[in-house]
Structure formats: structure tokens, C-alpha cells
Amino acid sequence: MKAKIAVLAGDGIGIEVTAAAVQVLEKVASKYNHEFSFEEGLIGGIAIDTTGTALPDETIAMCEGTQAILLGAVGGYKWDNPSAKVRPEQGLLKIRKHFDLFANLRPVKTYPALAGFTPLRPDLLEGVDMLFIRELTGGIYFGDRGEQGDGDHAFDTENYSVAEVQRVAQVAFTAAQGRRKKVTSVDKANVLATYRLWRKTVTALHDDYADVQLDHILVDAMTMYLMTRPASFDVIVASNMFGDILTDEASVLAGSLGMLPSASINGSSMGLYEPCHGSAPDIAGQGKANPIGSILSAAMLLRYSLNLSYEAEVVERAVDSALDAGARTADIAPRGAGFVSTTELTQTIIDAL
Ligand code: IPM
Ligand code: MG
């Protein structure tokens, strides 16, 4: 098949890991006779330096002509001024909103090859295989905010409509039907009105999915259960902010934040694919970044935007086999053991393809 893919590498290690994912996609194209063309665009700090805004109109227009967006990461020390008017993160929030990418899929599983590497007891990690569905275009990230008085007060507003909760919960229930048929909805209904609406809406929608088991868990308890009984979860649906926090926590189960991919979808086949990690300015440009989060995001791109499930699985198996062969970047290498560079791990994965 023919496909046009937008590549927004952004800043820091976004550049290295995105290059790795593009190489993998090129290998998939040549091996399975597809024609992928890549168009690069600016986002984040580099876009601010070049155009004065974190997501220039040209980038949006370019992305509109493609089937999928592969994104790296945004931000870095240079733009690290939270009170600046223009910030790299605005690019990320704006592109998610522009394409109405309301559901962010973040699968988390443990890799047998990395089980001894996490700080948790290996027996707790057996069978960990969960899918977070994070709401991505609403909630406190997009609610009213501002400063009051002489700058001695500030506020952000959590705000959800029934329709916003319904559409993301629908994604969760549907995903669960193709998996272990369990949905855990995370909220803070004991304190916040937004989450009473969240819980009521998810419960009502559950009537349409009688084959799926639904549990509600308060977010504070959820942070604990993720560590004490991670294997018990299947699909987890959470608001924008809770999903952001819980997926970083869950990355511990996979061995490293560098392992986690994500897909942001809007109900059409157009989607945005990015690793869960950030731009990691402390290790940027040194060949230390783990490319697996980005490569697995490319696999999700093949599956969800191009409908190439077989190719997606081949990429995922290649990652498994590279890990089994002991190829590790520093973040997933046992202390004192040797490790390989971003390009070496990428090459091992491409060879395994
Ligand atoms: C993520 C990141 C972003 C978020 C930041 C960089 C704005 O943490 O994608 O998880 O909070 O959504
Ligand atoms: Mg995050």
C-alpha cells in the first residue's frame, strides 16, 4: 500500500528515537512492498526558534495531507521557562486538540527479558498486560485557567461533559471486548463533581457492554494497586491528568519509560503516534536514548492508521527478540552490565525484522 506519514521529531531525544522509528518503517516498506513517504515538520522548541510558535500553521497543513503523524518529543532546557508565553508543550496540546485526538492508547506490559530489572518482585509482574485509555482533549488540561489578584492566586479548571466521557469510555469498552473483558475506570468521585459525572456516565454506558466487567477505583488507591496487583488490570480508562500520571507510574512495570508507545486516535483512521516519554534533554544527542517506545509507536501506526496488523506484529516480535538477545540501552541494562547505543539497538531490531 501507499501511505504518506508526517514526521514531527521535535526536540531532544525526540530526534534520535524518531529517526529510529522511521528506519524501521522503511524496512517494513521494503520487506512487504509498501510505499511509505515521509514529510517532516516542525513542532516544539525547534519550531519556536524557527517560527516563533510551537506549532506553525504549515505543520498543521502538512499533517492534514497525511494518513498518520509520527511524533518524537518536545521541550528542553533552552525553553524551560514555565512563565514564558510560548512554550514547546503548547505544540503538543494544540496538535492533539486540532485533530480531535480524544483517546490516547498506552499499552503497558512486562517483558520477560526485563522482569529482573524492575524494582518490583518478579512474581508480581507475571501476566502484566494492560491498556490505558487516557482522555486527551479535555479535562484540566483544557479548562479555564488564569491568575487572579496580584499574581498571588492561580486556578485551573477540571471540566468534562457527558459526551466527552462517553466517547472515551466507548473506546475502552470496545478495546476490552477484544481483550480480557475488564474495564477499570479511575476517578475521584468522593471529592470532585467532575468525577461524579465521569462515574455516572461510564456506569450508564456499561449497559451496552454487558459482556465486560466494570470496576471503579479512586485514583489514589489506583496508584497503589498498580504496584501491588498490576496483573489484575486489563483496560484502564482515565481522565487527561490522571492518565498522564498513572502511565508514568505504570512504565515502571515495563522496565523503563523509554519502552512505552502510544497512539492518539479520533475515531477515524488518522492518528498520532508518539512514545510516552519526553525529550530527556539530559541525555539528548548522546546516543543513549531507548528507541523502543518510538518503534512500538510506529507499530501502532501500522496497526491503527494503515490497517497493517501483520506488519505491526512483526515489528513487536522484532523488539522482543532484540531484547531476548540482550541488546539494551542504558535505561534497561542491569547495573554494571554493558549497554548499546540508540543506533545499535535500532539496527538489532531491524536485523530481527
Ligand atoms: C505526555 C506528556 C505531556 C502531557 C506533556 C509534555 C505536555 O507528559 O504526553 O504524557 O502531559 O500530556
Ligand atoms: Mg506524561
Side-chain angles (χ1 to χ4, degrees):
M1 78 175 297
K2 270 192 180 175
K4 211 188 253 187
I5 299 167
V7 178
L8 313 181
D11 308 311
I13 63 167
I15 298 166
E16 299 151 74
V17 300
T18 306
V22 167
Q23 276 186 332
V24 167
L25 287 172
E26 277 169 343
K27 175 76 183 186
V28 167
S30 72
K31 190 166 152 82
Y32 297 101
N33 283 318
H34 301 303
E35 240 178 84
F36 298 160
S37 60
F38 301 93
E39 276 192 59
E40 293 184 12
L42 295 175
I43 192 169
I46 174 111
I48 293 175
D49 287 355
T50 320
T51 69
T53 125
L55 183 66
D57 291 342
E58 306 87 81
T59 299
I60 296 181
M62 184 275 283
C63 290
E64 272 169 352
T66 66
Q67 267 127 299
I69 304 166
L70 183 68
L71 195 143
V74 301
Y77 299 132
K78 184 172 174 191
W79 309 280
D80 237 357
N81 172 11
S83 55
K85 268 221 150 65
V86 185
R87 279 170 286 115
E89 292 75 17
Q90 292 163 342
L92 204 47
L93 299 188
K94 192 171 158 194
I95 199 165
R96 290 170 179 173
K97 194 74 174 176
H98 179 85
F99 288 100
D100 198 24
L101 300 163
F102 63 87
N104 180 222
L105 282 52
R106 297 185 165 187
V108 178
K109 60 171 196 158
T110 49
Y111 293 83
L114 301 182
F117 179 74
T118 78
L120 295 183
R121 280 203 327 264
D123 61 288
L124 283 174
L125 297 171
E126 259 163 56
V128 168
D129 179 3
M130 57 182 108
L131 175 65
F132 279 88
I133 311 288
R134 171 188 175 194
E135 200 290 325
L136 202 61
T137 51
I140 199 164
Y141 273 58
F142 292 94
D144 279 350
R145 63 170 50 104
E147 290 183 2
Q148 291 166 319
D150 290 334
D152 57 349
H153 279 268
F155 66 97
D156 298 273
T157 321
E158 182 81 283
N159 187 333
Y160 273 113
S161 68
V162 167
E164 282 175 311
V165 179
Q166 269 174 345
R167 64 180 187 172
V168 74
Q170 229 149 22
V171 173
F173 283 122
T174 309
Q177 284 179 323
R179 297 173 43 104
R180 302 200 310 278
K181 299 192 168 53
K182 273 167 62 173
V183 168
T184 303
S185 172
V186 181
D187 64 42
K188 190 69 188 177
N190 54 345
V191 179
L192 303 173
T194 337
Y195 289 98
R196 285 192 279 277
L197 178 118
W198 178 284
R199 190 179 286 211
K200 207 171 83 185
T201 306
V202 175
T203 303
L205 189 70
H206 182 217
D207 289 345
D208 300 343
Y209 300 89
D211 55 331
V212 178
Q213 182 197 322
L214 171 66
D215 292 309
H216 302 279
I217 297 188
L218 296 171
V219 64
D220 47 350
M222 188 65 189
T223 63
M224 178 177 58
Y225 295 143
L226 269 181
M227 295 294 113
T228 54
R229 53 174 179 92
S232 69
F233 298 107
D234 180 18
V235 175
I236 299 164
V237 60
S239 65
N240 206 339
M241 183 164 66
F242 291 168
D244 178 45
I245 298 167
L246 292 173
T247 50
D248 267 32
E249 186 195 8
S251 75
V252 172
L253 305 163
S256 164
L257 185 53
M259 299 290 295
L260 294 203
S262 89
S264 303
I265 58 172
N266 62 11
S268 80
S269 66
M270 164 57 150
L272 181 151
Y273 302 85
E274 57 173 323
C276 293
H277 64 71
S279 60
D282 54 325
I283 59 161
Q286 301 169 36
K288 289 184 183 166
N290 185 343
I292 291 179
S294 186
I295 289 170
L296 292 177
S297 300
M300 294 182 89
L301 183 158
L302 293 168
R303 178 175 291 121
Y304 295 114
S305 280
L306 307 187
N307 205 14
L308 298 175
S309 321
Y310 178 79
E311 285 83 340
E313 200 144 314
V314 169
V315 171
E316 288 159 356
R317 290 295 82 77
V319 168
D320 289 343
S321 94
L323 289 172
D324 289 342
R328 311 278 169 82
T329 41
D331 58 316
I332 47 172
R335 206 170 294 170
F339 52 86
V340 302
S341 68
T342 310
T343 46
E344 285 167 327
L345 178 50
T346 305
Q347 196 52 54
T348 308
I349 292 167
I350 289 172
D351 292 344
L353 278 171

